[in-house]
Amino acid sequence: SAMPAVLADRVDLFFLVYAGELDALRLALLQRPTELHLLDRHGDSLLHLAIRRVDTAAVRCVLAAGFDVNTRSAGNWTPMEEAMACVQACVGADAAADVKAKAVAAQQVLREIHLAVQLDEQKRWAGRRETVLRTLRSMPDFSAVLAWRIGSYMLGVATLLRRFLPSDTYRIRKRGVRVRVDSTLAGLDYDALTWHRGLLSLIIRFDAGYGEPEILDGG
């Protein structure tokens, strides 16, 4: 997505996130919705700051205001990358009670961001469905193999997050307006910070209802 404008003078929204003044933040965002995606002088958005503060309530507040979870910071970090980095920072840290509590909060923040990303993808699909149907009907049937990995553009960050960011190889087959995808990525274990693996087949029937996929366990 396009880089948002930088907020230079009015930094009070960021102060409200920093201070945890959520009632005031909700009101300010209602009154000034155009400032939702601005960056502060450090290049952070409201959501990036809330994530780094490990403030679950602030994260929910900013998301509820309609924040676009695809927005990147000036350092090119997505909210998901920021959340994963915060969780990683808590791994192997001091076993003190306050540090453990922060680790639990970081995992909760990651859950909120992960859910927001999933909801965003659902909304985007709803807008693309008819275009996809027309395209599939015009295409010949095919089979393909697609290998993918989520990474980061930041130097040093890719190695740090490689263990936590997902990767997989998809085997894709298209017949008419139905598509079958075989994969092994089954979900995220938030406590162990690892990805569950299994044998999964995702059959997408684009011509049925709203094209909701039927997930079959191939194990």
Side-chain angles (χ1 to χ4, degrees):
S1 58
M3 185 67 68
V6 176
L7 183 63
D9 300 322
R10 302 182 66 186
V11 296
D12 52 314
L13 290 180
F14 295 90
F15 171 79
L16 294 175
V17 171
Y18 189 87
E21 297 289 344
L22 300 187
D23 289 339
L25 178 63
R26 291 188 188 94
L27 179 60
L29 289 174
L30 285 173
Q31 296 173 338
R32 293 143 52 193
T34 58
E35 296 183 17
L36 178 61
H37 293 95
L38 298 182
L39 305 182
D40 66 9
R41 64 189 63 187
H42 303 294
D44 291 319
S45 72
L46 291 171
L47 185 57
H48 286 83
L49 178 59
I51 293 170
R52 193 173 302 127
R53 296 286 297 167
V54 196
D55 189 335
T56 305
V59 166
R60 289 172 177 165
C61 179
V62 175
L63 289 173
F67 192 92
D68 181 358
V69 292
N70 300 294
T71 299
R72 292 178 179 270
S73 67
N76 210 28
W77 284 59
T78 65
M80 178 65 81
E81 290 171 338
E82 189 76 58
M84 292 295 293
C86 286
V87 171
Q88 167 64 13
C90 296
V91 175
D94 193 335
D98 59 334
V99 177
K100 288 184 177 180
K102 185 175 182 180
V104 171
Q107 292 171 358
Q108 181 60 44
V109 165
L110 178 59
R111 291 188 184 96
E112 295 292 334
I113 298 300
H114 185 233
L115 176 60
V117 170
Q118 289 181 315
L119 292 174
D120 178 72
E121 286 301 316
Q122 290 176 6
K123 291 178 182 178
R124 289 173 182 272
W125 160 244
R128 295 192 300 257
R129 180 176 180 271
E130 290 303 320
T131 300
V132 171
L133 273 174
R134 288 194 299 270
T135 302
L136 285 173
R137 290 186 176 116
S138 67
M139 293 172 59
D141 294 342
F142 66 86
S143 297
V145 176
L146 173 65
W148 62 269
R149 174 186 296 276
I150 295 179
S152 172
Y153 295 107
M154 296 294 294
L155 292 177
V157 175
T159 300
L160 177 67
L161 298 181
R162 186 171 295 131
R163 171 188 169 194
F164 305 100
L165 296 179
S167 63
D168 203 353
T169 298
Y170 289 166
R171 299 184 181 279
I172 307 169
R173 283 171 285 182
K174 181 259 183 187
R175 297 291 183 273
V177 293
R178 300 188 179 189
V179 176
R180 172 171 174 162
V181 181
D182 298 321
S183 68
T184 64
L185 194 63
L188 176 63
D189 185 332
Y190 291 99
D191 296 323
L193 297 180
T194 57
W195 292 89
H196 292 300
R197 296 286 177 177
L199 298 176
L200 297 178
S201 292
L202 177 67
I203 299 177
I204 309 175
R205 301 184 301 156
F206 292 99
D207 57 345
Y210 289 96
E212 295 180 357
E214 177 183 3
I215 300 177
L216 304 178
D217 186 354

